[in-house]
Amino acid sequence: MKVSNTSANTSENTSATNTADSAADPACYAVFGNPIAQSKSPDIHLMFAAQTDQNIHYSKILVEVDQFVTAADKFFGEGGQGLNITMPFKLDAYNYAHELSDRARTAGAVNTLAKQSDGVIIGDNTDGIGMVSDITQRLGWVVRDRRVLVLGAGGAVRGVLLPLIEQAPKSLLVANRTASKAEDLAQKLADYGELSACGYEQLDGSQFDVIINGTSASLGGALPALPASCIHSKTCVYDMVYSKTSTPFLDWSGDQGATQLSDGLGMLVGQAAESFFIWRKVRPEVAPVLAFLQEQA
Ligand code: ATR
């Protein structure tokens, strides 16, 4: 396990059973990923901790791709209390957890591990709730009773479908370049609520109130081949990725007349807030942290 860019390494003699609330003994958390240098998680969690007066230590840890279990065992063995998990380890974390939340199970991925006082490690997934709270609370967009379209059928989309279903949209459609993958997803989630699936070409002529891009297309500067008919001037468009400027999908949506556009920076802070709540049982404020990150961008 390599530790990169940490303010201090995980303490060798921190006990897993201590209360870790005294000034001398902060509770240890970290994010595992590869790459990890770009991660904003330490900044976010340390801002949450300052806000809520929590004594924590948070590091970012670069884990070799085949070393997840060794690194996690070491972290928890040395007294670590919780981990955030980013690419490419969300499935490893899913398999590592002793118990899974419903949202982790439906997502098939874990982004938060929390060690309980009895030693049991719970796996959760806060990505979806982070996105839904960003959309409904910060942006004030309505999902309930609206026609919602989600683009993509990879891990990012799997993580957000259950929290979206729970918002009771009028319809929820997953569209993917490879239609069969969207159909598989819809089948897997059929027990949780109404969800349909299709390829992009079948969207021609349909309109939506909320469109969420969960493909990785933006990361490569590409666009999902969505028919322009899907967007009207009141369509709210969300891209799960974030970037210093705009994203190709948000630019394209704006060109089609959409005025309510957001990237996924608020989702990043929202999922972190939910992880922080799982670990510390205190709900931090998202807005000032998001404002700080937006200023930095
Ligand atoms: P992640 O875990 O980030 O979701 P993933 O599991 O590799 O990554 O999934 C990537 C998603 O982005 C898939 O839905 C993929 O579509 P396919 O299943 O058809 O491959 C989608 N995607 C990637 N590049 C795309 C592009 N240029 N246009 C449309 N969809 C794209």
Side-chain angles (χ1 to χ4, degrees):
M1 169 166 63
K2 287 182 194 158
V3 180
S4 75
N5 195 21
T6 59
S7 54
N9 291 350
T10 324
S11 165
E12 288 294 324
N13 48 18
T14 309
S15 153
T17 51
N18 66 16
T19 55
D21 271 328
S22 69
D25 230 355
C28 288
Y29 300 93
V31 56
F32 276 15
N34 190 339
I36 200 62
Q38 79 296 344
S39 175
K40 297 180 193 300
S41 292
D43 298 338
I44 295 172
H45 283 282
L46 293 175
M47 281 188 269
F48 287 162
Q51 254 184 39
T52 57
D53 217 11
Q54 298 286 303
N55 183 19
I56 72 162
H57 177 278
Y58 193 109
S59 17
K60 49 182 160 186
I61 298 180
L62 177 68
V63 176
E64 299 303 332
V65 281
D66 56 350
Q67 292 295 310
F68 179 85
V69 172
T70 309
D73 282 350
K74 180 173 192 291
F75 178 81
F76 286 115
E78 289 174 350
Q81 300 197 354
L83 284 173
N84 282 134
I85 309 296
T86 187
M87 299 289 284
F89 298 117
K90 291 184 181 183
L91 184 58
D92 298 271
Y94 179 92
N95 292 324
Y96 186 82
H98 302 146
E99 289 176 18
L100 294 166
S101 68
D102 253 11
R103 53 195 187 188
R105 203 171 291 108
T106 51
V110 158
N111 78 335
T112 305
L113 290 169
K115 188 169 184 175
Q116 300 189 138
S117 52
D118 59 2
V120 171
I121 295 174
I122 309 280
D124 206 335
N125 190 311
T126 65
D127 288 330
I129 192 72
M131 186 195 75
V132 165
S133 61
D134 192 41
I135 286 179
T136 59
Q137 290 168 32
R138 180 179 71 88
L139 296 164
W141 298 352
V142 179
V143 171
R144 185 171 299 275
D145 280 332
R146 299 295 157 98
R147 298 162 299 178
V148 178
L149 172 65
V150 179
L151 305 176
V157 166
R158 233 178 18 240
V160 302
L161 288 177
L162 181 60
L164 276 174
I165 289 171
E166 288 169 352
Q167 291 296 305
K170 182 174 181 188
S171 59
L172 180 57
L173 178 58
V174 184
N176 193 42
R177 181 174 60 181
T178 313
S180 59
K181 283 201 214 165
E183 282 152 12
D184 285 351
L185 258 191
Q187 221 165 17
K188 281 194 184 115
L189 281 144
D191 286 348
Y192 293 91
E194 195 99 346
L195 179 63
S196 32
C198 67
Y200 294 140
E201 58 292 343
Q202 287 156 273
L203 296 172
D204 206 11
S206 305
Q207 281 202 332
F208 297 91
D209 304 308
V210 179
I211 299 179
I212 296 162
N213 181 20
T215 72
S216 52
S218 288
L219 295 174
L223 272 176
L226 188 66
S229 67
C230 293
I231 294 187
H232 58 87
S233 61
K234 294 209 169 83
T235 305
C236 298
V237 182
Y238 195 89
D239 201 329
M240 280 196 221
V241 303
Y242 56 88
S243 85
K244 284 190 173 134
T245 51
S246 182
T247 73
F249 189 67
L250 294 179
D251 285 342
W252 177 82
S253 302
D255 291 345
Q256 311 315 310
T259 56
Q260 303 198 70
L261 308 165
S262 178
D263 73 8
L265 190 61
M267 173 178 177
L268 176 76
V269 184
Q271 62 78 29
E274 199 65 26
S275 297
F276 191 87
F277 177 70
I278 289 168
W279 295 330
R280 308 301 303 165
K281 310 288 180 254
V282 190
R283 219 169 256 294
E285 266 190 70
V286 165
V289 176
L290 180 58
F292 175 82
L293 294 179
Q294 281 167 334
E295 243 171 62
Q296 271 197 327

